[in-house]
Amino acid sequence: MIGYRLLTEAVFVVFIVFIFSGGLIAVNARYLMNALLGLALSLLGVAGLYFRLGSPFLALMQTLIYVGAVCVIIAFGIMVGPKPKHEEEKRLMGRRNIILASAAAAAGFILLLIAIINVAWVPAQARTGDFSVIFLGENLLKQFCLPFELISVLLLTAIVGALIIANIGREGNAP
Amino acid sequence: MISDNLSTYLIISILLFSLGIYGMIRHRSFIGMLISGEFILNGASLNFMAFNKFLAPNPAVGQIFALFIMGLAAAESAVIVSIVLMVYHRFHSIDPDKVHDLKH
């Protein structure tokens, strides 16, 4: 039993290492493709945490939608974008930029840390339902039916809008 | 054990949020800013999942919210990539400093 617990903790730590090594690669990479691969690693780590939080379905969806779809869309964006100019890239990563970014990130981190320390988290008295996909689907079609339909309309609008915008952007198709 | 503790997940998610803020200021291209934005969204959705596991009365709500965040992120990145494509064709650059007034 102790062995199982220890193994769980070890896997958990490995996923945290995935998240933060991927994140550091993504925010510090000089080339966008490396940043994208860092993002994919980090998202896989988050999927592992979802698994630990009792929802294998969400872990699967995270892998499918984020690592599968969003990363491919971003890779497409990198592919049609400009070629990186090495010297210019180096010049743009100035010193002020790093200090400003670190200060903003540290300020956000400290504020949120104070917030979560100062709140006493109380679990709900009675818990209904479970983590199964069946219960999730029932809730999605009963209580959360309207947001579900709105998301599908939003996705349709976003796809049509993206196609129209990309078409306007092409040469000779000025609005 | 650290993986049974709410604070662990909250701290991971605020670290993801700070990484996103850092990357958004640090990157000098729209695609890099989009990548950093995904970190912020993931921090939020990890937060929802942690509250769902440890505090919420109905354990389906957090999962549904995380699913909605994923759907929104997919729609958002599709639209942003097409806008970036258009901006690149028009201004021949995806540096936010060069296209800040949206004029040639």
Side-chain angles (χ1 to χ4, degrees):
Chain A
M1 210 53 204
I2 289 290
Y4 269 128
R5 296 293 302 266
L6 225 58
L7 194 63
T8 313
E9 298 302 311
V11 172
F12 184 76
V13 170
V14 167
F15 279 130
I16 294 177
V17 170
F18 272 20
I19 292 177
F20 292 113
S21 54
L24 286 176
I25 293 170
V27 297
N28 288 311
R30 183 172 299 158
Y31 299 104
L32 283 176
M33 199 60 210
N34 299 5
L36 178 65
L37 293 175
L39 175 71
L41 184 66
S42 182
L43 295 178
L44 270 180
V46 175
L49 292 199
Y50 287 166
F51 206 94
R52 180 67 188 82
L53 282 168
S55 183
F57 175 68
L58 252 273
L60 200 67
M61 283 298 124
Q62 169 95 358
T63 318
L64 202 70
I65 299 177
Y66 262 122
V67 186
V70 173
C71 285
V72 170
I73 293 176
I74 297 175
F76 181 70
I78 294 172
M79 198 171 66
V80 297
K83 224 169 154 181
K85 300 182 190 69
H86 296 213
E87 293 310 311
E88 194 180 10
E89 290 280 274
K90 274 180 200 161
R91 187 172 57 78
L92 284 175
M93 290 291 182
R95 195 139 191 91
R96 186 186 66 88
N97 204 354
I98 295 178
I99 295 168
L100 189 67
S102 313
F109 179 78
I110 290 168
L111 276 177
L112 288 171
L113 195 65
I114 291 170
I116 69 164
I117 285 172
N118 284 334
V119 176
W121 303 105
V122 186
Q125 298 296 327
R127 310 197 64 177
T128 54
D130 48 17
F131 283 87
S132 68
V133 183
I134 299 170
F135 187 66
L136 185 69
E138 275 175 8
N139 268 271
L140 207 52
L141 289 182
K142 281 180 188 162
Q143 196 181 350
F144 297 95
C145 193
L146 181 67
F148 184 65
E149 297 299 328
L150 281 179
I151 284 280
S152 46
V153 173
L154 175 90
L155 279 172
L156 178 69
T157 320
I159 291 168
V160 174
L163 285 175
I164 290 174
I165 292 172
N167 197 34
I168 289 173
R170 276 157 73 178
E171 299 290 329
N173 264 344
Chain B
M1 291 290 182
I2 58 166
S3 71
D4 287 329
N5 203 342
L6 177 63
S7 310
T8 315
Y9 294 98
L10 294 184
I11 287 171
I12 292 170
S13 74
I14 62 175
L15 274 171
L16 271 176
F17 175 81
S18 320
L19 264 179
I21 297 280
Y22 177 84
M24 205 170 258
I25 300 175
R26 182 83 204 279
H27 273 296
R28 288 297 184 92
S29 71
F30 286 125
I31 303 272
M33 290 165 78
L34 172 62
I35 290 174
S36 311
E38 301 297 333
F39 281 101
I40 296 178
L41 287 172
N42 257 279
S45 117
L46 184 63
N47 229 334
F48 274 111
M49 285 299 286
F51 286 138
N52 180 47
K53 162 99 173 170
F54 294 102
L55 305 178
N58 180 352
V61 178
Q63 298 184 49
I64 289 172
F65 224 105
L67 275 177
F68 285 162
I69 292 175
M70 281 178 205
L72 282 176
E76 173 233 358
S77 56
V79 172
I80 289 180
V81 163
S82 70
I83 291 176
V84 166
L85 224 138
M86 181 175 170
V87 164
Y88 179 55
H89 273 116
R90 195 162 284 198
F91 298 96
H92 300 287
S93 167
I94 55 168
D95 185 348
D97 282 350
K98 288 185 185 155
V99 294
H100 65 281
D101 57 353
L102 293 180
K103 296 277 181 202
H104 274 295

